[in-house]
Amino acid sequence: AVMDDLCLLVLLDILYLYLMRILSCFFLLQGALSFAPLHSNKHKSSITARFVASKAAPDVSSDVQKLYDLFNAQITNEFSASHLYLAASIWCEEKEFVGMASWMRSESDDERSHALSLVDFANKRDIPIQLKDIPAPTSNWDTLEALWSDLLECEKSNTQSLYAVADAAQTAHDHAITTILQPFHSEQVESEGQLKTILAKVREENLTPGLVYQLDTELGNGVSK
């Protein structure tokens, strides 16, 4: 009987140990299951936050940023050229060079149109636009030759600025900007060539009196057509 009682006690101890192990495993498993979704949600939230942040503030390479800066500068250049032509038009009107005044007023409108076309393009491409201050142009010249010389230098400077934008566009592989600049390059060639011809005729006034007034008439008639 004593032996039977001893065997029963040993059996109960073994069952107790197995039961404790089972309960221990159960609690460990329950804790792991409750922790896993929380950890997973935090991980997913972290990924989502990084994705949203990347969409809200996309990285812009240095080449693209340089292109955007030059593009904005070109908008300012076009507006500045418009102001200079307008100032020249006013000066010619005061000196009774009516044809030249009309021609320069038309050129002023063209330059402003160029600037606005760049603005429209930038808006379509989501290029950040930063309008800059436009310095006051020269408004008084000692001679007609000095006036036309300033206009030619303005066009030459504008040409170089456009080249800089085109070079930056190629470096940044922005084919759309490269394409939109092509008509600008063609117009610059025509503008510089025309201004050189006009300036040469103005300088010939001393040798051929009356040539300036003939030129004034020709330029005025060209605008009216």
Side-chain angles (χ1 to χ4, degrees), residues 66-75 118 121-122 127 165 177:
K66 179 181 178 181
L67 172 59
Y68 289 173
D69 290 342
L70 289 171
F71 192 91
N72 274 277
Q74 188 57 38
I75 292 175
L118 293 178
F121 175 84
I127 297 175
V165 179
I177 290 182

Side-chain angles (χ1 to χ4, degrees), residues 87-157:
S89 175
I90 294 171
W91 187 88
C92 286
E93 191 75 40
E94 293 173 350
K95 303 300 180 183
E96 297 186 356
F97 291 113
V98 180
M100 292 183 183
S102 179
W103 184 87
M104 293 172 186
R105 180 64 176 268
S106 177
E107 291 297 309
S108 175
D109 293 341
D110 286 345
E111 298 294 346
R112 184 174 184 274
S113 177
H114 293 164
L116 293 178
S117 68
L118 293 178
V119 169
D120 291 340
F121 175 84
N123 282 329
K124 292 176 182 177
R125 284 283 311 280
D126 293 328
I127 297 175
I129 300 175
Q130 297 178 344
L131 296 179
K132 305 296 184 180
D133 292 336
I134 301 175
T138 301
S139 59
N140 190 30
W141 291 267
D142 293 332
T143 64
L144 194 60
E145 179 181 344
L147 181 150
W148 285 103
S149 295
D150 281 355
L151 293 178
L152 177 57
E153 289 304 315
C154 175
E155 292 293 354
K156 288 181 177 180
S157 177

Side-chain angles (χ1 to χ4, degrees), residues 23 31 33 42-43 49 59 87 91 97 123 138 150 170 184 209:
L23 289 174
L33 290 175
K42 287 183 177 179
H43 182 63
D59 292 333
W91 187 88
F97 291 113
N123 282 329
T138 301
D150 281 355
Q170 290 183 353
F184 285 78

Side-chain angles (χ1 to χ4, degrees), residues 74 77-86 88 103-104 106-112 114 147-163 183-196 198-199:
Q74 188 57 38
N77 291 339
E78 299 292 345
F79 278 126
S80 295
S82 175
H83 277 50
L84 179 60
Y85 273 108
L86 182 59
W103 184 87
M104 293 172 186
S106 177
E107 291 297 309
S108 175
D109 293 341
D110 286 345
E111 298 294 346
R112 184 174 184 274
H114 293 164
L147 181 150
W148 285 103
S149 295
D150 281 355
L151 293 178
L152 177 57
E153 289 304 315
C154 175
E155 292 293 354
K156 288 181 177 180
S157 177
N158 206 17
T159 296
Q160 295 305 314
S161 297
L162 285 166
Y163 287 161
F184 285 78
H185 297 317
S186 299
E187 286 193 32
Q188 287 304 116
V189 172
E190 295 295 329
S191 295
E192 287 189 32
Q194 186 176 19
L195 286 173
K196 288 177 182 178
I198 292 173
L199 186 56

